[in-house]
Amino acid sequence: MGAGANYAPRYEGAASYRLRLVPLLDVSYNNGGFFIGVARGIGFNFSEIKSIQYGVRVFVGQERNQNADARLYGMGNIDYFPEASLFFSSRLGPLSFSSGVATGNYGTHADVGGSINFPIGKQNRFRLGTKINWGDAIYNQTYFGVTAAQAAASGNVLTAYNATEGKKDTSMTASWVHNFDKEWSGSTTLTYKRLEGSAQLSPLTQRISANSLSYMLAYRF
């Protein structure tokens, strides 16, 4: 368990940034079979092999408040909602691969990514990774589309726009983990994300690419 801070755009495509406090809680039972956590949600890993994981989980989808940025005025809120997901990941030496697909009230989205780890002594680890995110028409419309009613509610600042199915974004990450001892650790992560397809062309998108920075301090029981 632990906590940290994240400095990132106010919403995907925003030009302005804000600082958020982020809680960290992750618990595993039955040798990692059953898990529950803030980031991973509640799920079960069916694999008994440490280098391969696959299973099901339920987690909270991404919310958005129209008060987060003036550009969102008239869009209404996207509330927290449950999503059901299938996941798969594997590790081969320093290389890792992951993928997943999730669906909920606001459509279906999927991701695929990979990373490479570089141990630096006994206390430090550096990781480089990349990920591609895809969304169906419902999902992309939820976050990047603008209905005629929303355009009118914005005072016609926004124009009506139909987002279509396709790749939503590509991201790259660089992270450094430092183990202070067996229990305490800290991690710093820098992420670059570039919006693609309908997300890039949306009238809500003020910047097609952005960086974010986070730091987490964790204690392992």
Side-chain angles (χ1 to χ4, degrees), residues 26-37 40-57 87 89:
D26 195 273
V27 182
S28 297
Y29 298 95
N30 191 26
N31 293 323
F34 175 78
F35 59 84
I36 179 171
R40 294 195 294 169
I42 302 173
F44 191 84
N45 167 36
F46 294 100
S47 175
E48 296 182 356
I49 304 173
K50 289 185 177 181
S51 60
I52 298 177
Q53 296 187 352
Y54 58 89
V56 296
R57 66 185 181 119
F87 66 87
S89 65

Side-chain angles (χ1 to χ4, degrees), residues 52-106:
I52 298 177
Q53 296 187 352
Y54 58 89
V56 296
R57 66 185 181 119
V58 177
F59 62 98
V60 178
Q62 181 181 345
E63 62 86 35
R64 189 181 70 193
N65 192 305
Q66 71 169 1
N67 295 324
D69 190 273
R71 189 70 173 179
L72 297 176
Y73 179 77
M75 290 299 298
N77 298 332
I78 301 174
D79 297 324
Y80 288 109
F81 59 96
E83 288 190 314
S85 171
L86 301 174
F87 66 87
F88 172 85
S89 65
S90 62
R91 186 176 69 252
L92 180 62
L95 300 176
S96 297
F97 169 84
S98 65
S99 62
V101 58
T103 187
N105 292 339
Y106 298 132

